[in-house]
Amino acid sequence: MASFVIEGGHRLSGEIYPQGAKNEVLQIICATLLTAEEVTVNNIPDILDVNNLIQLMRDMGVTVAKTGVDSYSFKAANVDLAYLESDNFLKKCSSLRGSVMLIGPMVARFGKAMISKPGGDKIGRRRLDTHFIGIQNLGADFTYNEEREIYEISAEELKGTSMLLDEASVTGTANIVMAAVLAKGKTTIYNAACEPYLQQLCKMLNRMGAKISGIASNLLTIEGVEELHGTDHTVLPDMIEVGSFIGMAAMTRSEITIKNVSYENLGIIPESFRRLGIKLEQRGDDIFVPAQDCYQIESFIDGSIMTIADAPWPGLTPDLLSVMLVVATQAKGSVLIHQKMFESRLFFVDKLIDMGAQIILCDPHRAVVIGHNHGFTLRGGNMTSPDIRAGIALLIAAMSAEGISRIHNIEQIDRGYQNIEGRLNAIGARITRI
């Protein structure tokens, strides 16, 4: 198990580029199974979750070639259907959360799929009902094999239908869309997710020959087609990493420029950091964050305490709440962080409390942060990363803290952030991988 040793208290300076969006690329790679023709994907981040999925595609018989520094081609002309029923395949799926998005493409193109319960972050229940019910609505049969602890999905023919999703799940919507593009007839999906990741997937599928309308709205209409073709696709910059760098600059009182952020796809993220008092400005497609010795949390118009909560797009992504919580510990003022979607994501705050932060954990979903206003610095600590986003939040805390900190289980951070210590050390951080 690897660890980071962080020497806190160093200011950052310079430019940093966000990687390709993890949450987008996992969908895009799964979608390459929908055609026998070659699909080239650019701006793929070199991170653990993505690399594991690429290797899984190779194991499935997909021809994968690295065509550039961050570009790969995928050609799913000879998928090994027998391998898809093997214990080896199912074991790999169980350790990779994104593997659940293989169901839609496999059932749509091959008429069957098998999947074990996927793994990923320890952030509470992450149910798969939306995925399964949506694909069942298209005509697939689901059975659970208790002996092997796997889901078996089959369909002689998928047929378009109208459905209302019980939650605007991003991966659930992606799975259903990928199944529906090859279904017979028209599918309408109400309460569909409309995050930029999902928009990117739909745009790519349309270039491949799909007929999807309503992109960027919560009502998608899909006219099924006989087959899809090859295409080229470029992944957006990772909005979560952009937000993480904004928080990092604020906590370390640093001046940095975040390059090529695709500002139009950041939604409410910049304004949410401004609510914490952080100054930032758009310069073309870059974000400039000036050094600030003090940032004051806004209050609502009636004077009540600011609440920052996650919500389906165009609301604030839940993946940034851990970062915003840490940033608030050194702000002036108080804020209620309300994590609505996941019930265990705030449990990492005990590590911050040990470092000297003033946080009241109200329940599994809500925490009140009382900012120090840099009145005193967090203390270095010894901690373990429970999930990707808490991991980067703890890293930000350690970078601003006094003394030496150690973060264990950084494989969780590696799952979502590419060479994070190398890129941060290049602009002034002191992080060593052990």
Side-chain angles (χ1 to χ4, degrees), residues 6-7 10-13 248 399 420-421 423-431:
I6 304 103
E7 183 180 305
H10 295 280
R11 295 199 180 196
L12 311 178
S13 178
M248 211 169 275
M399 289 169 64
I420 190 64
E421 76 275 23
R423 290 190 290 152
L424 293 178
N425 287 343
I427 59 171
R430 300 280 180 88
I431 305 168

Side-chain angles (χ1 to χ4, degrees), residues 69-137:
V69 174
D70 57 8
S71 299
Y72 286 81
S73 66
F74 301 85
K75 190 171 183 180
N78 299 295
V79 175
D80 184 354
L81 297 180
Y83 176 72
L84 304 183
E85 299 183 15
S86 69
D87 289 337
N88 187 42
F89 170 74
L90 295 165
K91 183 179 179 182
K92 289 186 176 181
C93 287
S94 68
S95 63
L96 178 62
R97 182 76 196 174
S99 65
V100 71
M101 286 181 290
L102 295 170
I103 296 174
M106 286 176 5
V107 172
R109 186 161 164 227
F110 306 116
K112 64 178 181 178
M114 298 177 72
I115 199 91
S116 53
K117 189 175 180 180
D121 292 323
K122 306 302 182 190
I123 55 177
R125 291 172 292 183
R126 303 175 75 180
R127 59 193 185 87
L128 300 177
D129 303 54
T130 306
H131 301 249
F132 289 1
I133 293 170
I135 296 174
Q136 277 179 322
N137 287 338

Side-chain angles (χ1 to χ4, degrees), residues 30-51:
C30 291
T32 64
L33 286 170
L34 287 165
T35 179
E37 298 181 19
E38 186 174 272
V39 178
T40 299
V41 185
N42 308 303
N43 199 27
I44 293 181
D46 182 12
I47 55 177
L48 202 57
D49 273 11
V50 172
N51 292 338

Side-chain angles (χ1 to χ4, degrees), residues 129-233:
D129 303 54
T130 306
H131 301 249
F132 289 1
I133 293 170
I135 296 174
Q136 277 179 322
N137 287 338
L138 295 170
D141 293 320
F142 276 72
T143 57
Y144 182 67
N145 185 322
E146 290 190 18
E147 184 179 339
R148 298 183 70 189
E149 296 184 329
I150 60 171
Y151 298 98
E152 299 174 350
I153 309 103
S154 61
E156 289 186 14
E157 182 182 63
L158 294 178
K159 294 182 180 179
T161 187
S162 179
M163 64 182 85
L164 171 62
L165 303 189
D166 63 337
E167 65 170 349
S169 163
V170 177
T171 53
T173 303
N175 234 340
I176 297 164
V177 166
M178 289 188 281
V181 290
L182 293 180
K184 190 173 182 179
K186 183 170 79 171
T187 300
T188 55
I189 307 173
Y190 290 90
N191 195 30
C194 54
E195 272 79 351
Y197 319 128
L198 209 288
Q199 297 174 35
Q200 285 282 95
L201 173 67
C202 291
K203 290 173 183 176
M204 184 186 89
L205 293 173
N206 279 350
R207 290 197 303 274
M208 294 168 70
K211 295 179 180 178
I212 307 170
S213 58
I215 298 171
S217 78
N218 65 355
L219 172 58
L220 295 175
T221 302
I222 304 156
E223 296 282 352
V225 297
E226 290 290 324
E227 62 179 355
L228 297 181
H229 308 285
T231 191
D232 279 20
H233 180 79

Side-chain angles (χ1 to χ4, degrees), residues 310 318 321 337-342 345-346 364-366:
D310 55 348
L321 281 190
I337 301 292
H338 192 171
Q339 168 62 266
K340 297 178 182 177
M341 294 190 189
F342 303 110
R345 229 178 198 173
L346 294 182
H365 293 277
R366 296 177 301 162

